[in-house]
Structure formats: C-alpha cells, structure tokens
Amino acid sequence: MHGPLRSAGPPMLLRAEALTRRFGAMLALDALDLEIAEGEFFALLGGSGSGKSTLLRIIAGFEAPDSGRLLLDGHDIAATPPWARPVNMMFQSYALFPHMSVADNVAYGLRRAGVARGDIAARTASALAMVGLDGFERRRPHQLSGGQKQRVALARSLVMRPRLLLLDEPLGALDAGLRERTGFELRALQRETGAAFVMVTHDQEEALALADRVALLDGGRIAQVGAPRAIYERPASRFVARFLGAANVLEGQAAEGRFDSAEAAATFAGAIPAGTVAVALRPERIRITADGAGPNTAQGVVEDVAFRGDDSLVLVRLSGGATLRVAHAEEDGAPPERGASVCLAWDADAVVALAS
Amino acid sequence: MTGPAREREGHRPSRTHPAKGRKAFGNRDGGRLLVLAPALGWLVLFVAAPAAILVAIAFADSDPGVPPFRLALSVAGFAVLAEDTYYLDALLTALRVAATTAALCLLLAYPMAMGIARAAPGRRVVLLALLMLPFWTGFLLRVGAWIGLLRDEGWINSLLQSAGLADAPIPLLYTEGAMLVGMVHAYLPFAVLPLFAAFLRLDPSLGEAAADLGARPATVFLTVTLPVTAPAAAAGFLLVFIPAAGEFVIPELMGPPEAQMVGRVLWQEFFQNRDWPVAAALAVALLALLLVPIRLFQRLEARP
C-alpha cells in the first residue's frame, strides 16, 4: 500500500488547508494551514492544548477533522483510514506489542502488507541494524531499557519505508543524557531514509536542534513557522519571543524608528516599523557595562545572579520597573554582585520589533 | 482481581520469593497477625475443618446407623466410583457443561467488557451497576423468572403461539439449552469483571499502532487485543468454570432429567441414598479435579 517513490513530483508532500477540529467547546485546531515538503524534518512545537497532538493524530488518521482538507501528494486523505495511509507513527509511549518479540514487533507491518517471508526477515534485520539493535530479535519489550524500546518503535515504523514519519515526543521519555545522542541519531536516520519526519514536541530546544523547519502552535493556530534560527532571532509576536528561549519582551510606544518603553525607562533604536507594539531582546545580546547613556542603554539594580556553567543569568530590575534577564558570559569576567547598580547596553540589531 | 497482581509489579523481589516475604512479615509484626486472626479462624473453621471431615468420611465405612458411616481407613467409596461409570459420567458431564458455560460467558463478556471499558466514566458506572444488578436480587427468584419465561405455558411459548409461529408449546425448559442459559446468566459477571479490568488497562495506542502499521480493525483485535487480554480471559474462564462444575441448583431446576451433573449426584448420594462415604469420595474427586484449574488460575494471577 506504500506507493513507490515518485521521481518527479511536487516538492510539497503534505498540505493542510483550513483544518478545524473541535472537542466540545474547545477549538483544538482553528482553520490551520500547513505545508510539509518532501524529505524535511519538521517540528510542531507548542504547549499543552496548542493543538499539536491533535494535528499529528489527524495526519495519522486517528482523528478526523471537522472541516478542512488534508492533501498528501495532492490527494485528500482526510477520510482515509489509518491502515490505508502511507504514513507511519512512532508513539510517545512507543506502543510496542508486549506479547511479541522485538523481531515480531518490527515485522508486524510487513506481515500486514503481505510482504514475502524472506523479504520480511531481511527487512526486519536491516531495520534493527539501522537502529543498532541487531542481536535483540528474540527479546520481549519488557526486557528492554527505555532507549532500546524507543529504537524498536523507530525500527517498526521505518521498516515500512514511509514517506512521512510522525514522531510524538520522540525524546520525551528518555533520560537527559540519552536525549542529545538520540537526537543526532534521529537526524542521521532522517537523512539516510529520505523520509519526511514530523515531530511533535513541547521542548523548544529539541525542536530548534533537530528540525529543518519549526511551526510554533498556539490555540490551534500556527503562531510562526520557519527555520529554527529565523524564528529564534526574528520572533513575530510576543508569544513566540517568550516561548522560544525566554526573551525579554518590553511594552511601549513606537515613534519614527524608535521605541520608547516606560517600563524599561529606555529608548530602543533600530529597525522599528510602524505598528510595533513591543520589542524583544535576547538575554545573551545584553552587555553589562560600567556606564552608558542614550538609546539602547538602561540602568538598573542586580536582583539575583544564577551561575549556569558557561554563563551566569543576571536578573536586573530596571529603573522603569521591568526586570531583564541578562546572560553574562564567563569570559567577560565575574558577574556583578547582588544589589550592585549596573548599566546595560545592546546593539541596534539585537532589538526585535514585535507587531503583535 | 488482576489489580493487586499489577500493583505488586514494583516489588519484584517479594513476588519472586513469596515465602520469604511472608515469614519476615509474620516475625516482625504481631499486630498484623492479630488483624489476620479472624480471617485465619474463618478459614480453619469453615474451609479446613469441613474439608478434613469430608476426607475422613470419604475413607470411612458405610453404616446403616446415625451418622451413616463408621470412621475407618477404607477405599470402598473410591472403589464404587471407579467401578460404576455413572459417577465418572457425572464428573465428565459437569466438566463439559462447566466448560461450555465458561466459553459462552467469555463470548458474551468480550464485547460487554470492551464496551464498558470504552464508555465515558459517568456512563461506565451505570453499565457496571447494570452488570451487577442481578446480584442484588435473590438467586432463586431469578431462576424462577427464567422458568416462568421458558416453561410450556410461559411467556416465550405464549408469544410464539399467539404469533402463529408454533402450533404446540416448544419444550424449552428442562433442556440442556435452558440449563446453559441459567448457568451463563448466573456466572456472566465473573467473566466480565477480569476482562473489564484488562480493557481498562489496555493502552489504546497499541491498537492505534497496529492500525498505523496496516491492520484493519478485525486484524487489530485478533493480533493485538485478543493476545494482550488473553490472561484476563483465562482468569474469567476459570472463575466461571470452577463454581459451575459443582453447580447443583440450576441443573436441578432448569436442566433435563438425564443431565446427571456431579452436583446432583452428590445430592442424591448424601440425601437420598444416604451413602456418605461414596458421596464424600465423589466430592473429594471433584475437588482434586478442580485443583488443576485453580492452580492454573493462581499462576495466571502471579504473572508479571
């Protein structure tokens, strides 16, 4: 049922058009539009209730949208049952069949597809080798560690050679030490197989580190979609700026290329288009200086300092009342003491204008 | 009942060495022994002692006096069982009827348990209450109701005749069918409850994963749902099978006269023939036969 790879197709693999899904009074997906290209690693990022899991379940076929279209290669698959979709999913709980061996788990989909016996054995073996689990064929899921279960789940979906693999919080259940390594392995597998990976995660670091493109979801809509660096450095709204890397967001008034913020008691100069309602300033772009005046500087008192290894997080209460998070790099010397009066300065290109 | 087995999962050592765990617990805390004393006393008085008396009578000699036996060490009772195929037939009939009852109960219990487990929590309580409702009315009353439905002048026959579907009453009562209806009715909850617990625990993403890998709903059921819930089904089967094998009332009131199940034969030997050693020997034989499935059931309960 998994069609052959088409040699000359449109680069767009999956397109969602005005997808809407309601659960009682809650709007899980609000006329959401989305495009996913052939062979890209795409992350759906958002908090709980943002609609990211509903979207993934609609793509897999476990939920039906109330309205809207879901096109795979230009064909509407919204009414196609999950067993007939050339899409596979890795579940957050891994959902390994507890009564089957590792090999039988991996071979399950091939058996359903009526693949010849010899091919099943060969493809199962190569899928297990791909995730580094050769020799585990006869184990039962309860004899595996969390990381090994995750690999079996991955092998079980990848053995189907899907064009689109859905991953529900793929690193969520792993120990911190295992996450980084598994993340790199996921990317390597994605490049190796050429399949498009769509990952759901609530962890912005994970999304930024792994994905080619990230869509940040909020209230069933896409708040912003783009390459990780682009949406990290150029957030479009207060929500995106706050969600990604906890930027400082300051309210104020825009006026002719400048932005006056009363709560910061500072003036921001830079690319400030008309209609700017707030500005974002990343903690790592703020310098602590001995003195300063004029635009793109502020005065404040150090409220607290937290050592984080490669830098220290300094909380500075500005004279206007707002508190700024400032990342003070170790190579810039010792961070200021709690209670010290400091001057803050930043470059014009660090100021990100937010329109909403 | 599968719940406690699951809770124990976290304490593997105590489960793999149950004897050790029990000993330590007895030595450490006399207070707990005090709490257990009523239960222990109950078991000794009403399980162990009657069983001992039963075994003693089984090896006694028959006697025309009161009580109708003399304590001895005789195997005459068992010899009668071995010689007369009547008793063996009664045992085999009982096992066959009990197995049929348990199988029919499972067949009904699967959709019921799945439906109850998948219902919304509020509705689930109502459905469970409906399942247990028959237990709150008298057992004999319910058998009486079945008799009223099934007898020649009963509701079903009147309905069939007034609808012109039958000229004369169809004999429904006192058939093996009527007996099985009564047995299934009485024991169905014992099959539904363990399956319900299993479906409640069943990770719904297992079925979704199977569907995602290309399995249609029927295949999902056969390859995933059924094998994963099989231990609970086996538990339900045995929970019905064990009491059904010794059932006396339903075969007596609803079954065909020729259905000599062991429960009925026991009754006859004790109260009509007054041959207590043979009756006791038969009861011991039934107990010995049922120990096999009981042991199986315990092993299922102890599974990880």
Side-chain angles (χ1 to χ4, degrees):
Chain A
M1 80 201 61
H2 292 211
L5 282 168
R6 294 198 337 202
S7 48
M12 220 36 82
L13 178 64
L14 187 86
R15 184 200 296 269
E17 289 176 0
L19 275 187
T20 302
R21 180 74 171 105
R22 222 178 278 276
F23 292 112
M26 203 193 82
L27 200 54
L29 290 183
D30 184 5
L32 180 135
D33 295 312
L34 181 73
E35 285 189 334
I36 290 164
E38 199 105 44
E40 78 172 326
F41 201 137
F42 195 93
L44 295 169
L45 175 63
S48 57
S50 62
K52 60 187 195 301
S53 297
T54 304
L55 178 56
L56 198 74
R57 291 177 60 79
I58 286 178
I59 299 175
F62 304 134
E63 299 275 352
D66 293 326
S67 62
R69 300 206 303 161
L70 183 67
L71 304 169
L72 188 76
D73 286 332
H75 302 291
D76 194 345
I77 59 162
T80 310
W83 63 84
R85 292 189 187 194
V87 170
N88 287 106
M89 174 151 161
M90 197 191 100
F91 290 76
Q92 185 175 11
S93 66
Y94 309 140
L96 298 182
F97 306 129
H99 58 295
M100 292 183 199
S101 68
V102 165
D104 285 339
N105 264 283
V106 176
Y108 186 88
L110 298 176
R111 294 212 170 99
R112 302 287 86 75
V115 174
R117 194 176 285 262
D119 294 346
I120 290 180
R123 280 172 69 176
T124 301
S126 75
L128 282 173
M130 191 161 67
V131 297
L133 278 183
D134 22 4
F136 283 73
E137 285 81 359
R138 303 182 69 88
R139 298 261 193 116
R140 290 294 176 107
H142 69 89
Q143 296 169 310
L144 302 176
S145 71
Q148 288 165 343
K149 283 183 192 167
Q150 195 251 19
R151 285 148 188 271
V152 175
L154 204 53
R156 189 175 67 174
S157 358
L158 284 176
V159 78
M160 302 306 291
R161 297 179 185 153
R163 304 197 31 219
L164 182 60
L165 178 69
L166 308 172
L167 303 122
D168 191 2
E169 301 273 1
L171 308 182
L174 298 180
D175 296 336
L178 208 52
R179 285 174 154 227
E180 190 178 275
R181 205 182 84 199
T182 311
F184 278 114
E185 284 169 358
L186 269 184
R187 283 229 303 209
L189 281 172
Q190 192 262 334
R191 283 192 297 265
E192 205 175 310
T193 58
F197 278 27
V198 176
M199 169 178 83
V200 152
T201 180
H202 67 277
D203 183 334
Q204 80 273 5
E205 273 182 45
E206 211 170 283
L208 296 177
L210 296 180
D212 300 320
R213 283 200 305 150
V214 177
L216 181 60
L217 270 71
D218 180 34
R221 293 181 147 274
I222 290 182
Q224 194 173 356
V225 60
R229 190 173 294 277
I231 70 167
Y232 183 82
E233 287 178 353
R234 294 281 140 195
S237 66
R238 295 181 181 101
F239 172 79
V240 179
R242 288 202 180 100
F243 197 95
L244 294 173
N248 298 295
V249 174
L250 296 157
E251 309 287 327
Q253 302 276 317
E256 293 159 14
R258 11 181 305 161
F259 186 84
D260 297 311
S261 170
E263 61 172 348
T267 295
F268 294 83
I272 310 282
T276 299
V277 295
V279 292
L281 200 54
R282 299 231 155 256
E284 65 272 21
R285 300 296 300 269
I286 305 174
R287 294 185 307 274
I288 298 174
T289 57
D291 52 63
N296 291 340
T297 63
Q299 274 72 41
V301 177
V302 175
E303 221 169 39
D304 212 338
V305 182
F307 178 61
R308 299 196 296 191
D310 49 352
D311 65 3
S312 294
L313 180 68
V314 183
L315 295 185
V316 179
R317 177 167 289 273
L318 301 181
S319 44
T323 302
L324 280 194
R325 302 170 75 249
V326 179
H328 180 82
E330 281 303 290
E331 63 257 32
D332 294 344
E337 299 280 316
R338 205 156 66 88
S341 291
V342 289
C343 258
L344 303 176
W346 53 88
D347 295 333
D349 68 352
V351 177
V352 179
L354 304 174
S356 64
Chain B
M1 61 219 58
T2 37
R6 186 160 173 86
E7 278 165 27
R8 269 183 269 130
E9 258 179 65
H11 312 280
R12 279 185 186 276
S14 73
R15 189 156 46 81
T16 44
H17 305 292
K20 198 175 146 198
R22 218 174 291 145
K23 203 165 144 198
F25 148 93
N27 288 346
R28 208 186 312 135
D29 203 340
R32 291 199 183 173
L33 201 66
L34 205 70
V35 174
L36 279 180
L40 270 174
W42 174 277
L43 282 176
V44 168
L45 261 175
F46 296 109
V47 180
I53 294 170
L54 189 74
V55 171
I57 297 176
F59 287 102
D61 279 326
S62 193
D63 187 88
V66 175
F69 64 89
R70 240 176 318 107
L71 284 183
L73 205 64
S74 145
V75 289
F78 290 98
V80 171
L81 293 190
E83 278 160 23
D84 195 338
T85 53
Y86 175 71
Y87 300 102
L88 186 65
D89 282 348
L91 274 173
L92 290 179
T93 308
L95 295 185
R96 181 176 57 78
V97 169
T100 312
T101 303
L104 288 173
C105 281
L106 272 190
L107 225 55
L108 287 171
Y110 253 100
M112 284 174 77
M114 210 187 304
I116 297 172
R118 287 185 185 171
R123 202 171 212 193
R124 190 187 293 158
V125 177
V126 176
L127 291 173
L128 275 178
L130 284 175
L131 177 73
M132 303 307 291
L133 198 61
F135 277 150
W136 300 341
T137 56
F139 172 67
L140 283 175
L141 219 61
R142 286 183 282 134
V143 173
W146 275 115
I147 292 173
L149 279 172
L150 296 174
R151 70 199 162 106
D152 286 358
E153 310 83 43
W155 286 25
I156 293 177
N157 267 314
S158 327
L159 209 71
L160 285 176
Q161 278 171 291
S162 59
L165 291 169
D167 300 327
I170 299 167
L172 296 171
L173 195 59
Y174 310 123
T175 60
E176 182 148 333
M179 178 170 72
L180 285 174
V181 164
M183 301 269 274
V184 168
H185 167 92
Y187 290 112
L188 186 58
F190 294 110
V192 175
L193 290 175
L195 275 176
F196 164 70
F199 276 111
L200 215 52
R201 278 203 318 265
L202 185 71
D203 180 358
S205 62
L206 286 185
E208 289 179 350
D212 186 64
L213 291 165
R216 287 159 182 277
T219 314
V220 174
F221 183 79
L222 289 176
T223 58
V224 175
T225 315
L226 203 57
V228 172
T229 54
F237 184 92
L238 292 174
L239 279 177
V240 173
F241 179 84
I242 294 165
E247 177 63 41
F248 158 71
V249 177
I250 296 170
E252 182 72 20
L253 295 180
M254 298 177 74
E258 72 276 9
Q260 290 299 354
M261 280 179 60
V262 71
R264 266 171 119 173
V265 174
L266 271 175
W267 173 273
Q268 287 162 4
E269 291 299 332
F270 263 116
F271 296 102
Q272 289 169 10
N273 296 350
R274 287 180 58 79
D275 192 340
W276 284 21
V278 167
L282 189 57
V284 169
L286 178 65
L287 189 63
L289 270 178
L290 290 183
L291 279 179
V292 178
I294 288 171
R295 184 77 197 102
L296 271 175
F297 176 69
Q298 286 173 332
R299 285 185 58 175
L300 277 176
E301 285 281 80
R303 268 165 64 124

